[in-house]
């Protein structure tokens, strides 16, 4: 009888499942603890539809597209959502005040050690509260879930972070100065950011800059290459005060150069992305249109804007919200080296087409 090689064994082979099962049992315990954490603060767990008229409108997040038929065989295009954000905010507009969801979300062009085409997003929202409140949530959630998973620390790629320690609070500008020796604030000029100054800083750090790279492209390259790998060592890091150009669905601070946005890192891995939510539908439309123009330039396609979402945004109350990659959190809490070790049923590789 032939045996399956480790490289070709499916996840359901008893031997492979036996190796993965401790990670998966920790995952189940962590999910239970997360639900208890939110329940203790009067949150309601909601369930959001995966099929949407728009998957989201971020330039560099790719979606899966499908075709729907109604009972009269009329076709329409739908997408698998890349985040439950649009649906969750519609629920805030409807009157919900504290909600969370464990949502399966779908992103194309993403598969690797930390990425999977289908993964679990833990997303939660607080109406009428400042976005800084989400930092408290993050740290409470980390402590509660990591302990439930049977661990005392977060580990990845040889790095360790203590989830029970107070986080490091670091602004994006401070991080660029510390880890790339770039004065980011000097490039945040009106009416357009100073591309050439940022490009020069990138080149000093050995980062290739293409002729058609925008300020945002260069910013992202520096962030990925020089900043993110340094964050969350020893204890989690909260990276604050993103430039306004990186606001996405966040509102701006009193200083309009910066957005009400932060990200949570541990062991050099991004875990969560939080916003003080933008509720101006006109400004949000402008941002969506700019992002889709950038996507069209880069990838040759774009996604529709959810007009229903913009209508809901007009009556949505002030709120804050955050999305956390639950699979990544489980990885770091269990010491798993690959995201597929902590997903119960990983997506099968499809047949390649030429």
């Amino acid at each position: 009888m032939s045996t399956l090689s480790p490289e070709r064994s499916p996840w359901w082979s008893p031997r492979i499942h036996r190796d993965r099962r401790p990670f998966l049992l920790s995952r189940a315990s962590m999910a239970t603890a997360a639900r208890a954490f939110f329940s203790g603060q009067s949150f309601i767990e909601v369930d959001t539809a995966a099929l949407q008229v728009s998957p989201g409108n971020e330039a560099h997040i790719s979606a899966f597209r499908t075709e729907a038929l109604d009972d009269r065989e009329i076709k329409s295009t739908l997408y698998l959502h890349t985040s439950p954000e649009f649906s969750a905010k519609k629920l805030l507009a409807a009157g919900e005040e504290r909600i969370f969801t464990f949502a399966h979300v779908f992103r194309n062009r993403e598969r690797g050690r930390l990425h999977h085409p289908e993964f679990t997003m833990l997303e939660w929202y607080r109406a009428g509260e400042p976005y800084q409140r989400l930092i408290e949530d993050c740290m409470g959630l980390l402590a509660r879930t990591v302990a439930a998973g049977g661990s005392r620390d977060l580990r990845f790629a040889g790095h360790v972070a203590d989830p029970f320690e107070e986080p490091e609070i670091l602004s994006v500008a401070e991080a660029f100065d510390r880890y790339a020796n770039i004065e980011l604030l000097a490039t945040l000029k009106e009416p357009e950011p100073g591309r050439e100054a940022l490009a020069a800083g990138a080149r000093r750090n050995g980062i290739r800059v293409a002729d058609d790279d925008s300020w945002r492209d260069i910013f992202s390259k520096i962030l990925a290459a020089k900043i993110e790998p340094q964050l969350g060592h020893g204890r989690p890091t909260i990276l604050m005060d993103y430039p306004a150009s990186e606001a996405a669905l966040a509102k701006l601070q009193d200083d309009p150069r910066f957005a009400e946005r932060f990200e949570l890192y541990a062991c050099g891995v991004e875990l969560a992305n939080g916003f003080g939510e933008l509720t101006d539908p006109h400004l949000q439309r402008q941002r969506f249109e700019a992002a889709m123009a950038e996507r069209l330039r880069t990838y040759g396609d774009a996604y529709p804007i959810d007009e229903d979402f913009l209508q809901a945004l007009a009556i949505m109350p002030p709120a804050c919200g955050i999305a956390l990659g639950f699979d990544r959190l489980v990885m770091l809490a269990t010491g798993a080296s690959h995201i597929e070790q902590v997903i119960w049923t990983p997506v099968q590789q499809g047949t390649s087409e030429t």
Side-chain angles (χ1 to χ4, degrees), residues 58-318:
E58 295 193 44
H60 300 292
I61 294 181
S62 298
F64 291 91
R65 175 178 174 171
T66 190
E67 188 176 82
L69 296 173
D70 67 11
D71 56 355
R72 295 174 295 169
E73 297 294 310
I74 296 176
K75 297 178 182 179
S76 62
T77 298
L78 291 175
Y79 298 85
L80 292 172
H81 66 178
T82 60
S83 162
E85 184 167 5
F86 288 3
S87 295
K89 288 181 175 178
K90 290 175 184 179
L91 288 171
L92 293 178
E96 297 297 339
E97 296 182 345
R98 291 187 179 184
I99 57 175
F100 77 97
T101 180
F102 277 96
H104 278 235
V105 298
F106 306 84
R107 296 189 179 183
N108 215 341
R109 290 188 169 96
E110 295 191 14
R111 189 160 199 157
R113 191 177 183 186
L114 288 167
H115 297 87
H116 200 65
E118 179 180 355
F119 62 99
T120 300
M121 189 86 84
L122 172 55
E123 198 156 308
W124 69 95
Y125 292 83
R126 291 176 174 270
E129 298 189 61
Y131 77 111
Q132 292 89 343
R133 180 67 178 84
L134 299 171
I135 298 175
E136 298 177 42
D137 287 341
C138 284
M139 301 318 297
L141 184 68
L142 287 189
R144 187 83 169 260
T145 55
V146 171
S151 181
R152 280 289 311 171
D153 53 34
L154 299 167
R155 288 160 281 142
F156 186 74
H159 301 294
V160 179
D162 186 342
F164 303 97
E165 284 283 333
E166 287 293 315
E168 174 191 30
I169 306 294
L170 186 66
S171 74
V172 173
E174 289 170 337
F176 268 64
D177 180 57
R178 180 185 301 179
Y179 298 119
N181 195 27
I182 292 174
E183 189 178 350
L184 187 67
L185 297 184
T187 76
L188 298 180
K189 300 176 180 178
E190 295 293 343
E192 295 293 334
R195 178 197 180 278
E196 293 310 314
L198 192 62
R203 295 187 184 101
R204 288 197 305 271
N205 281 274
I207 297 170
R208 179 182 174 275
V209 177
D211 291 341
D212 61 348
D213 278 346
S214 66
W215 185 97
R216 295 188 63 191
D217 294 330
I218 302 167
F219 173 88
S220 296
K221 287 181 176 182
I222 298 170
L223 187 69
K226 304 299 293 186
I227 312 301
E228 291 181 325
Q230 306 300 325
L231 303 179
H233 297 169
R235 57 177 174 157
T237 295
I238 300 292
L239 190 64
M240 300 282 294
D241 301 335
Y242 273 72
S245 64
E246 308 306 302
L249 284 82
K251 65 182 180 180
L252 300 184
Q253 300 182 22
D254 291 338
D255 183 340
R257 293 178 300 171
F258 303 105
E260 290 195 356
R261 176 186 176 187
F262 73 86
E263 291 194 323
L264 168 66
Y265 288 85
C267 304
V269 176
E270 178 200 339
L271 290 178
N273 188 11
F275 295 159
E277 303 295 350
L278 179 65
T279 56
D280 181 336
H282 304 292
L283 180 54
Q284 189 63 77
R285 180 188 296 279
Q286 292 173 11
R287 291 186 188 175
F288 282 164
E289 289 174 348
M292 289 302 91
E294 172 68 12
R295 179 170 183 84
L296 187 62
R297 179 183 72 85
T298 305
Y299 302 102
D301 65 6
Y303 304 128
I305 292 173
D306 183 349
E307 297 293 340
D308 192 53
F309 169 69
L310 293 178
Q311 291 180 34
L313 204 62
I315 65 167
M316 190 184 108

